[in-house]
Each structure stands twice: as C-alpha cells, then as structure tokens.
Amino acid sequence: RILGDNDPALDQVLSLAEHSQYVAAAELAEKLWQEQVYDVRSIGVFLLGAFVEQGMGALPDILSAILALLTKQWECMSPTNVKHKHFDIGLHWLVTRILGQFRFAQKVKSPQWAKWLSQWDQTDQKQTFERLKGLLAVLDTVLAGSLCKGSFLQLQKTLRELSTTHSDKPSDI
C-alpha cells in the first residue's frame, strides 16, 4: 500500500509527532511498517521514538537504520516520485529534534541530561562516529545537496563535544 498526501494514517503519525508525542507517533509509524507500508515520511518519527525511549545508546542503531534505508532498501521506499525530498526533510526533522532535546536538557541541567551523558559514556562512540562518517558519504551520493547533511554535521560536532570514554577521539571524522 502506498500512502497518499492526505492519508489518515500518515496524518495521525505526523500530528502526534507535531504535538511532541514522539513515542505514540513512533508506535503508529511502526504499525505502518508492519503492514508493509514503507513510506519515508514515517521514518524520522519512528527513529525519534527509538531515541526518546532508548536514549544515547540508540544512536548507532538509528544511524545504521538510516544507512540501510539509503542503500539496501532505497528502491523499496515510497512515495517514489518525491522520496528524496521527503526523506531529506524527515532526516533533517529527526536530527534537529534530537539536537533540540540535547540543548534543552543541557540548558536546564535536567536528570535526562545526566542520564544521556551516562549512556554516551557506555555507548560505542567509535562505532557511532564511523556510522556518521559513512552516512555523510552516502548522503552526498543518494541525497546530493541535502538539507539534512548540515544537521548531521551539527550532530557530529555536538557528540564530539561530549566527554568520551575513548582515549583517542576520532580525529578524521
């Protein structure tokens, strides 16, 4: 099934996300995928839900999922006529929401910020940076001139600024 521009299922997913109900929106997006509706407009919402639920530890898997979608599953994604544009916008939305959550939690020094820092210390940071590097290379090929590339570069910069558990920060990424 391919979703139209005014599909009620997609509207519901996007409406929940617009109202910052990210987990509920992600659950509906996941349901669409289980129904074999592979629409790029739902991906950012689904992945943000994973981040909200799992925190920093989800970043490597989120980046891997995006890489797989841009490479192995790209041809299966819909809507075919505008998927480049929709996926670019969805990825930009995803990363700006993650960064916004970081900035707010850091600014108010919330318990969530302390939890994310702790999770980051336990995350395979080298793997995260390698996946970001791979993703940035693929973006240049699949989504040339994308809006989301700048967002991913900002995410990379933000993650580099966090304290790391690795003695050698990735310097070439």
Side-chain angles (χ1 to χ4, degrees), residues 10-169:
L10 181 62
D11 287 346
Q12 189 175 13
V13 168
L14 299 177
S15 177
L16 286 168
E18 186 177 313
H19 291 93
S20 301
Q21 295 178 18
Y22 301 127
V23 174
E27 289 169 353
L28 289 178
E30 181 180 26
K31 184 178 176 201
L32 288 173
W33 279 74
Q34 290 169 346
E35 295 170 4
Q36 298 181 347
V37 178
Y38 306 124
D39 193 300
V40 296
R41 295 170 289 185
S42 66
I43 293 165
V45 173
F46 176 74
L47 295 175
L48 183 59
F51 178 79
V52 169
E53 284 189 325
Q54 300 169 34
M56 296 291 276
L59 283 177
D61 291 337
I62 288 170
L63 297 170
S64 289
I66 295 167
L67 268 168
L69 290 167
L70 285 169
T71 55
K72 299 172 189 158
Q73 286 112 15
W74 188 243
E75 294 305 315
C76 301
M77 304 305 298
S78 66
T80 55
N81 58 336
V82 287
K83 70 180 167 184
H84 290 82
K85 176 183 170 189
H86 284 304
F87 200 45
D88 181 25
I89 291 168
L91 292 177
H92 174 71
W93 178 88
L94 166 68
V95 178
T96 56
R97 292 304 169 283
I98 290 173
L99 289 169
Q101 299 238 342
F102 282 174
R103 288 181 187 119
F104 179 75
Q106 184 180 29
K107 181 178 179 180
V108 300
K109 301 203 183 328
S110 72
Q112 183 65 49
W113 182 246
K115 181 179 177 182
W116 282 338
L117 288 177
S118 175
Q119 288 173 336
W120 180 241
D121 287 342
Q122 297 170 27
T123 298
D124 185 339
Q125 296 169 21
K126 184 176 181 187
Q127 181 184 58
T128 302
F129 284 112
E130 287 171 356
R131 290 182 183 170
L132 259 171
K133 182 179 181 179
L135 177 57
L136 288 166
V138 169
L139 284 175
D140 284 338
T141 304
V142 181
L143 297 177
S146 65
L147 175 66
C148 68
K149 184 174 181 180
S151 302
F152 280 108
L153 289 168
Q154 184 60 48
L155 176 64
Q156 183 182 60
K157 179 179 183 259
T158 300
L159 293 175
R160 281 176 185 258
E161 292 170 355
L162 298 178
S163 59
T164 65
T165 56
H166 296 286
S167 58
D168 54 334
K169 278 190 179 180

